[in-house]
Amino acid sequence: MLPATERSDSGAYLLPSVTDNEEEVARLDLLHNAFREYFDGGLCAFQLKNERPKRVLELGCGSGAWAIQAAIDFPEAHVVAVDISPLPAPRVLPDNMSFQFVDLKEELPFERESFDIVHARMVMINIPNAKDVIHKAARLVKPGGLLLLDDMDDKSFLDTGGPEVRRCFEKIMELWRMSGSDLEMGRKFQGILDETGWFSDVRVEKIGIPLGGCAHDERLNKLGLRSQLFAQRFVMTAGARLAGEGLTEEMVQGFVKEVDGVGCTAVWDFYFYAARRGVLVESDSDARDTGFSRSLSPKREGA
């Protein structure tokens, strides 16, 4: 989920914390639940029913919704959720889940190759030097384990949206770039994962989510309409925090009205990656053990 964020001295974090912020919690839970329904109750775009993890890590857990679901789905595993801000109260955690304060910009306080699954959703677009964080996350995955990365490419708003959507997101993307973050990160994960040389099997599912609910797929339309509400809340939240930096109320209201209007064309591209870590043979950098590889079929055909 989106990390619980506060503006740091470096200006890196541009969104509010979930701590004592019911609107932010509702916004994050809204999208988690929308994806959960679209994936028939699953954790991501891929079938994970054959996984038997003992340790699961979620980076930038935000409201904690994904980590709580993972703890329920994998009762034999211990799920560790980390963020720079506390989980919202009241939040009842399963017995097999724990929370730690961690700043992803710093070194991660875990041993290498100590988790069977490492997950991050809508996190990498919000932190500077996301490439370095992905490399750090990859080191934590056990051989045979999975790195799950879910994120968007907000350039899709510029490519598909109307004039008000484009105007608003051009400014938002400019401000994110100034903070060192990249709102196009979702489509760039493949290259970053390939650079590590550690993953023998990388699967990706791209979902073009129509915010106007104008697709032929009824389930996709439902996801789109709920994502529309999420996007509106995101822009209003960003507008409240960035009003002094050029994101005007006129831009925000223009976006909100246009995506809510008849004939909205905006499509939000969301990427889901599942990368299986291989076993590197130290004496030969090109030799890999791929015998562990298991099937990672998409959760929904044609997604």
Side-chain angles (χ1 to χ4, degrees):
M1 307 294 290
L2 272 169
T5 55
E6 291 287 3
R7 179 174 294 280
S8 67
D9 291 340
S10 64
Y13 295 118
L14 302 179
L15 292 175
S17 167
V18 296
T19 307
D20 300 323
N21 190 327
E22 294 182 1
E23 289 186 2
E24 185 69 4
V25 173
R27 186 174 72 86
L28 300 183
D29 284 351
L30 171 71
L31 193 64
H32 169 77
N33 291 330
F35 277 127
R36 181 177 180 178
E37 182 175 340
Y38 184 73
F39 295 136
D40 298 321
L43 286 163
C44 68
F46 302 94
Q47 295 282 359
L48 300 179
K49 62 183 180 181
N50 293 326
E51 304 300 320
R52 299 292 184 269
K54 295 300 182 184
R55 281 170 57 81
V56 176
L57 174 66
E58 185 180 24
L59 303 173
C61 65
S63 70
W66 190 94
I68 291 171
Q69 183 187 347
I72 294 170
D73 288 0
F74 299 121
E76 301 301 317
H78 180 69
V79 177
V80 181
V82 305
D83 211 312
I84 60 170
S85 296
L87 290 173
R91 212 52 154 183
V92 179
L93 304 186
D95 292 339
N96 60 325
M97 176 182 165
S98 62
F99 173 83
Q100 289 183 226
F101 290 101
V102 172
D103 186 340
L104 299 182
K105 302 192 305 298
E106 307 296 335
E107 288 302 314
L108 303 182
F110 305 108
E111 294 183 6
R112 291 183 62 133
E113 300 181 354
S114 58
F115 289 93
D116 301 288
I117 296 176
V118 176
H119 172 260
R121 175 173 292 173
M122 296 176 69
V123 170
M124 300 305 167
I125 64 162
N126 287 289
I127 53 179
N129 301 316
K131 179 177 175 179
D132 293 340
V133 178
I134 294 170
H135 279 253
K136 289 189 290 187
R139 295 187 194 106
L140 301 179
V141 181
K142 292 180 180 180
L146 287 173
L147 176 60
L148 303 176
L149 298 174
D150 315 334
D151 237 315
M152 74 275 274
D153 173 14
D154 281 349
K155 185 177 181 295
S156 57
F157 283 134
L158 304 186
D159 296 335
T160 63
E164 295 299 328
V165 167
R166 295 196 301 270
R167 180 187 179 204
C168 182
F169 256 84
E170 282 174 355
K171 176 55 68 174
I172 288 176
M173 292 178 73
E174 174 189 335
L175 295 174
W176 247 252
R177 284 192 296 270
M178 290 172 60
S179 77
S181 302
D182 185 354
L183 283 175
E184 302 175 47
M185 183 55 66
R187 63 184 167 84
K188 300 179 180 180
F189 287 151
Q190 180 76 59
I192 297 172
L193 292 171
D194 289 346
E195 285 179 3
T196 69
W198 297 335
F199 296 95
S200 63
D201 186 12
V202 179
R203 306 295 175 90
V204 58
E205 285 293 309
K206 173 187 172 183
I207 303 177
I209 304 173
L211 297 193
C214 55
H216 296 298
D217 184 330
E218 182 178 345
R219 291 170 63 92
L220 185 58
N221 281 337
K222 188 173 183 179
L223 175 62
L225 292 174
R226 295 172 76 178
S227 298
Q228 177 195 109
L229 181 57
F230 175 89
Q232 289 172 322
R233 289 181 176 178
F234 165 79
V235 169
M236 289 188 288
T237 299
R241 294 182 62 86
L242 300 174
E245 300 185 44
L247 185 59
T248 67
E249 179 66 16
E250 181 185 1
M251 291 177 180
V252 170
Q253 291 306 316
F255 176 93
V256 170
K257 292 178 181 178
E258 190 168 273
V259 299
D260 197 30
V262 176
C264 171
T265 59
V267 175
W268 189 29
D269 285 347
F270 211 104
Y271 290 80
F272 291 84
Y273 287 78
R276 180 81 66 186
R277 178 146 186 199
V279 182
L280 181 65
V281 179
E282 296 293 341
S283 60
D284 184 355
S285 61
D286 295 323
R288 300 185 186 282
D289 175 6
T290 59
F292 67 85
S293 185
R294 297 187 281 273
S295 173
L296 280 171
S297 58
K299 197 67 174 146
R300 288 180 48 74
E301 293 297 329

Short mmCIF file of all heavy atoms in Angstrom, two decimals, residues 28-59:
data_model
loop_
_atom_site.label_atom_id
_atom_site.label_comp_id
_atom_site.label_asym_id
_atom_site.label_seq_id
_atom_site.Cartn_x
_atom_site.Cartn_y
_atom_site.Cartn_z
N LEU A 28 -6.72 4.31 1.45
CA LEU A 28 -5.85 3.16 1.20
C LEU A 28 -6.63 1.85 1.26
O LEU A 28 -6.44 0.96 0.43
CB LEU A 28 -4.71 3.15 2.23
CG LEU A 28 -3.80 4.37 2.23
CD1 LEU A 28 -2.68 4.21 3.24
CD2 LEU A 28 -3.24 4.64 0.85
N ASP A 29 -7.51 1.74 2.23
CA ASP A 29 -8.32 0.52 2.35
C ASP A 29 -9.25 0.36 1.16
O ASP A 29 -9.53 -0.76 0.72
CB ASP A 29 -9.13 0.55 3.64
CG ASP A 29 -8.29 0.27 4.88
OD1 ASP A 29 -7.11 -0.12 4.72
OD2 ASP A 29 -8.81 0.41 6.00
N LEU A 30 -9.73 1.48 0.63
CA LEU A 30 -10.63 1.44 -0.52
C LEU A 30 -9.97 0.72 -1.69
O LEU A 30 -10.55 -0.19 -2.29
CB LEU A 30 -11.02 2.86 -0.93
CG LEU A 30 -11.78 2.99 -2.26
CD1 LEU A 30 -13.19 2.45 -2.12
CD2 LEU A 30 -11.81 4.46 -2.71
N LEU A 31 -8.75 1.11 -2.03
CA LEU A 31 -8.10 0.50 -3.18
C LEU A 31 -7.69 -0.93 -2.88
O LEU A 31 -7.81 -1.81 -3.75
CB LEU A 31 -6.88 1.32 -3.60
CG LEU A 31 -6.32 0.94 -4.96
CD1 LEU A 31 -7.33 1.23 -6.08
CD2 LEU A 31 -5.02 1.64 -5.25
N HIS A 32 -7.21 -1.20 -1.68
CA HIS A 32 -6.87 -2.59 -1.32
C HIS A 32 -8.08 -3.50 -1.50
O HIS A 32 -7.99 -4.57 -2.11
CB HIS A 32 -6.37 -2.68 0.12
CG HIS A 32 -6.27 -4.09 0.61
ND1 HIS A 32 -5.24 -4.94 0.26
CD2 HIS A 32 -7.11 -4.83 1.39
CE1 HIS A 32 -5.44 -6.12 0.81
NE2 HIS A 32 -6.56 -6.09 1.51
N ASN A 33 -9.21 -3.08 -1.00
CA ASN A 33 -10.42 -3.90 -1.09
C ASN A 33 -10.90 -4.03 -2.53
O ASN A 33 -11.44 -5.08 -2.92
CB ASN A 33 -11.52 -3.31 -0.21
CG ASN A 33 -11.21 -3.44 1.27
OD1 ASN A 33 -10.52 -4.38 1.69
ND2 ASN A 33 -11.69 -2.50 2.08
N ALA A 34 -10.72 -2.98 -3.33
CA ALA A 34 -11.11 -3.05 -4.73
C ALA A 34 -10.27 -4.09 -5.48
O ALA A 34 -10.81 -4.90 -6.25
CB ALA A 34 -10.95 -1.67 -5.39
N PHE A 35 -8.97 -4.08 -5.25
CA PHE A 35 -8.11 -5.08 -5.89
C PHE A 35 -8.40 -6.47 -5.34
O PHE A 35 -8.42 -7.45 -6.10
CB PHE A 35 -6.63 -4.73 -5.68
CG PHE A 35 -6.10 -3.74 -6.66
CD1 PHE A 35 -5.45 -2.60 -6.21
CD2 PHE A 35 -6.24 -3.93 -8.03
CE1 PHE A 35 -4.96 -1.66 -7.11
CE2 PHE A 35 -5.74 -3.01 -8.94
CZ PHE A 35 -5.10 -1.87 -8.48
N ARG A 36 -8.63 -6.57 -4.06
CA ARG A 36 -8.91 -7.87 -3.46
C ARG A 36 -10.15 -8.49 -4.10
O ARG A 36 -10.17 -9.69 -4.41
CB ARG A 36 -9.10 -7.71 -1.95
CG ARG A 36 -9.38 -9.02 -1.23
CD ARG A 36 -9.49 -8.80 0.25
NE ARG A 36 -9.75 -10.05 0.96
CZ ARG A 36 -9.86 -10.16 2.27
NH1 ARG A 36 -9.71 -9.09 3.03
NH2 ARG A 36 -10.09 -11.32 2.83
N GLU A 37 -11.19 -7.69 -4.32
CA GLU A 37 -12.39 -8.20 -4.95
C GLU A 37 -12.12 -8.58 -6.41
O GLU A 37 -12.58 -9.63 -6.88
CB GLU A 37 -13.50 -7.16 -4.87
CG GLU A 37 -14.82 -7.62 -5.47
CD GLU A 37 -15.94 -6.62 -5.28
OE1 GLU A 37 -15.82 -5.75 -4.38
OE2 GLU A 37 -16.93 -6.68 -6.03
N TYR A 38 -11.38 -7.75 -7.12
CA TYR A 38 -11.08 -8.03 -8.52
C TYR A 38 -10.28 -9.32 -8.67
O TYR A 38 -10.46 -10.07 -9.63
CB TYR A 38 -10.32 -6.86 -9.12
CG TYR A 38 -10.04 -7.01 -10.60
CD1 TYR A 38 -11.06 -6.86 -11.54
CD2 TYR A 38 -8.77 -7.31 -11.05
CE1 TYR A 38 -10.82 -7.01 -12.90
CE2 TYR A 38 -8.51 -7.46 -12.42
CZ TYR A 38 -9.54 -7.31 -13.32
OH TYR A 38 -9.28 -7.46 -14.67
N PHE A 39 -9.39 -9.57 -7.70
CA PHE A 39 -8.56 -10.78 -7.73
C PHE A 39 -9.20 -11.95 -6.97
O PHE A 39 -8.52 -12.85 -6.51
CB PHE A 39 -7.17 -10.49 -7.16
CG PHE A 39 -6.38 -9.51 -7.98
CD1 PHE A 39 -5.67 -8.50 -7.37
CD2 PHE A 39 -6.34 -9.60 -9.36
CE1 PHE A 39 -4.93 -7.59 -8.11
CE2 PHE A 39 -5.61 -8.70 -10.11
CZ PHE A 39 -4.91 -7.70 -9.50
N ASP A 40 -10.52 -11.91 -6.85
CA ASP A 40 -11.27 -13.00 -6.20
C ASP A 40 -10.74 -13.32 -4.81
O ASP A 40 -10.62 -14.48 -4.42
CB ASP A 40 -11.23 -14.25 -7.08
CG ASP A 40 -11.88 -14.03 -8.43
OD1 ASP A 40 -12.92 -13.34 -8.49
OD2 ASP A 40 -11.35 -14.53 -9.44
N GLY A 41 -10.41 -12.29 -4.06
CA GLY A 41 -9.93 -12.46 -2.69
C GLY A 41 -8.44 -12.65 -2.57
O GLY A 41 -7.92 -12.82 -1.46
N GLY A 42 -7.72 -12.63 -3.69
CA GLY A 42 -6.27 -12.87 -3.67
C GLY A 42 -5.47 -11.67 -3.26
O GLY A 42 -5.96 -10.53 -3.21
N LEU A 43 -4.20 -11.91 -3.01
CA LEU A 43 -3.29 -10.86 -2.57
C LEU A 43 -2.71 -10.05 -3.73
O LEU A 43 -2.23 -8.95 -3.52
CB LEU A 43 -2.13 -11.48 -1.77
CG LEU A 43 -2.47 -11.96 -0.36
CD1 LEU A 43 -1.39 -12.90 0.15
CD2 LEU A 43 -2.63 -10.78 0.58
N CYS A 44 -2.72 -10.62 -4.93
CA CYS A 44 -2.14 -9.92 -6.06
C CYS A 44 -2.70 -10.51 -7.34
O CYS A 44 -3.66 -11.29 -7.31
CB CYS A 44 -0.61 -10.01 -6.04
SG CYS A 44 0.03 -11.67 -6.33
N ALA A 45 -2.10 -10.18 -8.48
CA ALA A 45 -2.61 -10.62 -9.77
C ALA A 45 -2.28 -12.07 -10.08
O ALA A 45 -2.72 -12.59 -11.10
CB ALA A 45 -2.04 -9.71 -10.87
N PHE A 46 -1.51 -12.73 -9.22
CA PHE A 46 -1.05 -14.09 -9.49
C PHE A 46 -1.55 -15.06 -8.44
O PHE A 46 -1.75 -14.70 -7.28
CB PHE A 46 0.48 -14.13 -9.54
CG PHE A 46 1.06 -13.20 -10.57
CD1 PHE A 46 1.45 -11.92 -10.22
CD2 PHE A 46 1.19 -13.60 -11.89
CE1 PHE A 46 1.96 -11.05 -11.17
CE2 PHE A 46 1.70 -12.74 -12.85
CZ PHE A 46 2.09 -11.46 -12.49
N GLN A 47 -1.71 -16.31 -8.84
CA GLN A 47 -2.09 -17.36 -7.92
C GLN A 47 -0.93 -17.65 -6.96
O GLN A 47 0.18 -17.96 -7.40
CB GLN A 47 -2.45 -18.64 -8.69
CG GLN A 47 -3.67 -18.52 -9.57
CD GLN A 47 -4.98 -18.60 -8.80
OE1 GLN A 47 -4.97 -18.77 -7.59
NE2 GLN A 47 -6.08 -18.48 -9.50
N LEU A 48 -1.19 -17.55 -5.67
CA LEU A 48 -0.16 -17.85 -4.67
C LEU A 48 -0.53 -19.06 -3.82
O LEU A 48 0.10 -19.32 -2.80
CB LEU A 48 0.05 -16.63 -3.75
CG LEU A 48 0.49 -15.33 -4.43
CD1 LEU A 48 0.64 -14.23 -3.39
CD2 LEU A 48 1.79 -15.51 -5.20
N LYS A 49 -1.52 -19.81 -4.26
CA LYS A 49 -2.03 -20.90 -3.43
C LYS A 49 -1.01 -22.01 -3.22
O LYS A 49 -1.11 -22.76 -2.24
CB LYS A 49 -3.32 -21.48 -4.03
CG LYS A 49 -3.15 -22.09 -5.41
CD LYS A 49 -4.49 -22.57 -5.95
CE LYS A 49 -4.35 -23.19 -7.34
NZ LYS A 49 -5.67 -23.62 -7.86
N ASN A 50 -0.02 -22.14 -4.12
CA ASN A 50 1.00 -23.17 -3.95
C ASN A 50 2.19 -22.71 -3.12
O ASN A 50 3.10 -23.49 -2.87
CB ASN A 50 1.49 -23.65 -5.33
CG ASN A 50 0.42 -24.38 -6.10
OD1 ASN A 50 -0.41 -25.06 -5.51
ND2 ASN A 50 0.41 -24.22 -7.42
N GLU A 51 2.18 -21.45 -2.71
CA GLU A 51 3.27 -20.93 -1.88
C GLU A 51 3.08 -21.39 -0.43
O GLU A 51 1.95 -21.44 0.06
CB GLU A 51 3.32 -19.41 -1.94
CG GLU A 51 3.44 -18.84 -3.34
CD GLU A 51 4.69 -19.29 -4.06
OE1 GLU A 51 5.76 -19.36 -3.42
OE2 GLU A 51 4.60 -19.56 -5.27
N ARG A 52 4.18 -21.68 0.24
CA ARG A 52 4.15 -22.10 1.65
C ARG A 52 5.16 -21.26 2.44
O ARG A 52 6.13 -21.78 2.98
CB ARG A 52 4.46 -23.59 1.79
CG ARG A 52 3.48 -24.52 1.10
CD ARG A 52 2.12 -24.49 1.78
NE ARG A 52 1.19 -25.44 1.19
CZ ARG A 52 0.36 -25.16 0.19
NH1 ARG A 52 0.36 -23.92 -0.32
NH2 ARG A 52 -0.44 -26.06 -0.32
N PRO A 53 4.95 -19.95 2.48
CA PRO A 53 5.94 -19.09 3.13
C PRO A 53 5.96 -19.26 4.65
O PRO A 53 4.93 -19.54 5.26
CB PRO A 53 5.47 -17.68 2.75
CG PRO A 53 3.99 -17.82 2.60
CD PRO A 53 3.78 -19.18 2.00
N LYS A 54 7.15 -19.09 5.21
CA LYS A 54 7.29 -19.05 6.67
C LYS A 54 7.47 -17.63 7.17
O LYS A 54 7.13 -17.32 8.31
CB LYS A 54 8.51 -19.90 7.09
CG LYS A 54 8.34 -21.39 6.79
CD LYS A 54 7.13 -21.96 7.54
CE LYS A 54 6.97 -23.45 7.28
NZ LYS A 54 5.76 -24.00 7.93
N ARG A 55 8.04 -16.77 6.31
CA ARG A 55 8.22 -15.37 6.68
C ARG A 55 7.85 -14.49 5.49
O ARG A 55 8.30 -14.72 4.36
CB ARG A 55 9.66 -15.09 7.10
CG ARG A 55 9.95 -15.53 8.53
CD ARG A 55 11.44 -15.47 8.85
NE ARG A 55 12.04 -14.17 8.65
CZ ARG A 55 11.99 -13.15 9.52
NH1 ARG A 55 11.31 -13.30 10.66
NH2 ARG A 55 12.59 -12.01 9.28
N VAL A 56 7.00 -13.49 5.75
CA VAL A 56 6.53 -12.56 4.73
C VAL A 56 6.81 -11.15 5.21
O VAL A 56 6.60 -10.83 6.39
CB VAL A 56 5.02 -12.74 4.47
CG1 VAL A 56 4.51 -11.71 3.47
CG2 VAL A 56 4.71 -14.17 4.01
N LEU A 57 7.27 -10.29 4.31
CA LEU A 57 7.58 -8.90 4.64
C LEU A 57 6.80 -7.98 3.73
O LEU A 57 6.81 -8.15 2.50
CB LEU A 57 9.08 -8.64 4.48
CG LEU A 57 9.55 -7.19 4.65
CD1 LEU A 57 9.36 -6.71 6.08
CD2 LEU A 57 11.03 -7.07 4.23
N GLU A 58 6.13 -6.99 4.30
CA GLU A 58 5.54 -5.93 3.48
C GLU A 58 6.24 -4.62 3.77
O GLU A 58 6.32 -4.17 4.92
CB GLU A 58 4.04 -5.75 3.70
CG GLU A 58 3.54 -4.72 2.69
CD GLU A 58 2.06 -4.41 2.74
OE1 GLU A 58 1.44 -4.61 3.79
OE2 GLU A 58 1.55 -3.95 1.72
N LEU A 59 6.72 -3.99 2.70
CA LEU A 59 7.42 -2.71 2.80
C LEU A 59 6.43 -1.58 2.58
O LEU A 59 5.66 -1.59 1.62
CB LEU A 59 8.52 -2.64 1.74
CG LEU A 59 9.57 -3.75 1.78
CD1 LEU A 59 10.49 -3.65 0.57
CD2 LEU A 59 10.39 -3.66 3.06
#
